[in-house]
Amino acid sequence: MTAILFLAIRILLVIALYTFLGWAVFTIWRDLKQQSNALSPAQLPKITLIPEDKKQPLSFQKMQVLIGRDPACDVCISDHTVSAQHARLEFRLSQWWIEDLHSTNGTLVNGIDVSQPIVVTSGDEVSVGEVHLRIEL
């Protein structure tokens, strides 16, 4: 009788152990899935740059947007006042930041000189050389 009782207790302990391990693995998997969804590129907010002359707006959904005269830039502006790589828009810390890339004529946000990276919001006016762009998020 004692042997059957010990066998039943062992079986119950094994079932409890495997249940706990299954619950732990499921919890870790669920948390990893939530983290990957939070960090996925699909969660990037779209940024739209609208030229002052109301030409076609340019929309992007990526971590970095280069503005300049160089054809390799995401926003290619053929204006003699714009440097080859003039400015960079970058999504970090859940915000869009703009940084002047040591351009000749500078970058302005709402008339304020960009000497270090600053946060931009929807409706801000960015001036690269003599070209003005409105930002919509």
Side-chain angles (χ1 to χ4, degrees), residues 9-59:
I9 291 173
R10 282 182 181 173
I11 291 173
L12 287 175
L13 285 175
V14 167
I15 291 171
L17 177 65
Y18 280 112
T19 303
F20 173 76
L21 288 175
W23 173 79
V25 168
F26 173 75
T27 302
I28 291 171
W29 174 79
R30 187 184 63 206
D31 288 346
L32 286 173
K33 187 164 176 77
Q34 286 176 348
Q35 285 291 327
S36 69
N37 288 341
L39 297 175
S40 71
Q43 299 297 323
L44 281 175
K46 183 170 69 170
I47 186 167
T48 303
L49 302 174
I50 305 169
E52 68 179 342
D53 55 8
K54 304 291 187 212
K55 285 187 180 176
Q56 181 160 352
L58 303 166
S59 294

Side-chain angles (χ1 to χ4, degrees), residues 60 62 64-77 84-85:
F60 301 96
K62 52 196 253 181
Q64 224 178 57
V65 177
L66 278 176
I67 302 171
R69 200 175 61 235
D70 187 357
C73 289
D74 300 307
V75 180
C76 184
I77 302 171
Q85 290 190 348

